[in-house]
Amino acid sequence: MLGRIEKYLLEKIKAEGSIHITLVDPEKMTPSQASQVAENSKINGTSAMMIGGSTFVSQSHLDDVIKAIRRIVDLPIILFPNNITGISRYADAIWFMSLLNSVDPYFLIGAQILAAPLVKKYGLEPISMGYIIVGEGGTAGIVGKAIPVPYNKPDLTAAHALAGQYLGMHFIYLEGGSGAKNPVPPEMIQMVKNVTDIPLIVGGGIRTKEQALAASSAGADIIVTGNIIETTAGKQKVSEIIDGVKGNKG
Ligand code: 1GP
């Protein structure tokens, strides 16, 4: 049985080709800034909000950010936790993820064991996802003790993704690292897409309409942007990026 949010995402992807999700790092924003970002992103056509960052944020602040977003927009709110401290009862769903190229069992299954009872208690919808850090990897790569797959090894990335699918994961996320100099290359996206049959999420370093279009044309079903909204030109940029994602339609 698919949950409500997962169903919503799959239906949106089916209808629109590729969709965009806005990532809010609660550490970098006040609740009111986060709700403004959500409102602006919704107007520009984003499909959901993801909440998470790579370092520590207090849980009460995380709760406040989610409550503020919920007051302003009716978009689904999906947690994107870097650890068990990234769980809030006020979200709709959680990417229930395993960092497939971590060398630390904590990020493969340890944190998930600690999180599972809380996810159930809070009634959050778990959406199973295999997370693969590629390229520079950024803070997520360091914190998650990953061995990032280099951009020139798309076949190796595809092997990780296929393993995730065979383990029963519903989505694969190729993470170039927040603020990465270069986003995940289209060749890597294409190879993963050719080998797997599950929806593909791509994020990290996407700053332009062209990059968003290149990723969605290569096969990304969901494009995630975070960093760009934190810049002064962010508002306009998000609108252009979403245009790029939707440019893939038809
Ligand atoms: C990070 O993939 C996301 O987890 C988004 O990256 O912040 O570079 O958009 P950016």
Side-chain angles (χ1 to χ4, degrees):
M1 254 287 272
L2 288 187
R4 182 175 65 89
I5 305 298
E6 184 167 356
K7 225 166 128 197
Y8 162 87
L9 293 175
L10 295 179
E11 280 167 7
K12 270 242 155 192
I13 292 168
K14 202 167 164 204
E16 298 179 19
S18 301
I19 62 171
H20 176 267
I21 296 185
T22 302
L23 172 66
V24 160
D25 183 345
E27 199 188 339
K28 296 184 178 158
M29 274 178 225
T30 64
S32 89
Q33 284 167 333
S35 62
Q36 276 166 29
V37 162
E39 189 175 28
N40 176 54
S41 303
K42 183 174 180 185
I43 292 168
N44 286 313
T46 205
S47 296
M49 299 299 297
M50 257 163 65
I51 316 291
S54 292
T55 47
F56 182 75
V57 62
S58 89
Q59 275 186 292
S60 65
H61 180 67
L62 174 67
D63 289 346
D64 289 345
V65 162
I66 294 174
K67 284 194 268 186
I69 293 174
R70 201 178 276 302
R71 270 197 295 274
I72 303 287
V73 295
D74 60 357
L75 288 169
I77 301 177
I78 308 170
L79 298 169
F80 182 47
N82 70 319
N83 209 329
I84 50 168
T85 48
I87 301 175
S88 165
R89 66 170 79 228
Y90 299 102
D92 297 300
I94 179 167
W95 289 117
F96 204 82
M97 53 203 272
S98 176
L99 176 48
L100 297 179
N101 54 337
S102 178
V103 295
D104 186 341
Y106 180 77
F107 294 103
L108 289 163
I109 186 62
Q112 295 79 351
I113 292 170
L114 295 174
L118 209 55
V119 168
K120 193 171 176 68
K121 184 174 166 198
Y122 290 167
L124 295 166
E125 177 185 327
I127 310 177
S128 164
M129 181 254 275
Y131 191 48
I132 306 167
I133 297 187
V134 296
E136 284 173 36
T139 309
I142 297 166
V143 172
K145 301 194 178 75
I147 301 178
V149 188
Y151 279 164
N152 63 356
K153 301 275 182 208
D155 48 342
L156 205 51
T157 310
H160 281 72
L162 192 58
Q165 177 182 326
Y166 288 168
L167 283 167
M169 285 150 183
H170 292 192
F171 290 78
I172 290 293
Y173 193 134
L174 297 186
E175 172 68 83
S178 185
K181 201 151 78 189
N182 299 304
V184 183
E187 301 72 35
M188 185 178 266
I189 297 171
Q190 210 162 21
M191 187 162 290
V192 170
K193 197 62 195 170
N194 286 345
V195 166
T196 55
D197 308 308
I198 52 177
L200 180 59
I201 311 167
V202 175
I206 296 172
R207 294 178 183 83
T208 66
K209 179 175 179 173
E210 291 70 30
Q211 289 168 335
L213 180 58
S216 62
S217 304
D221 299 289
I222 300 179
I223 307 280
V224 177
T225 63
N227 239 22
I228 199 73
I229 45 173
E230 291 149 23
T231 66
T232 40
K235 224 169 160 178
Q236 176 60 24
K237 277 283 178 193
V238 169
S239 135
E240 287 172 21
I241 286 168
I242 297 175
D243 280 351
V245 174
K246 304 219 181 249
N248 190 40
K249 199 164 37 166

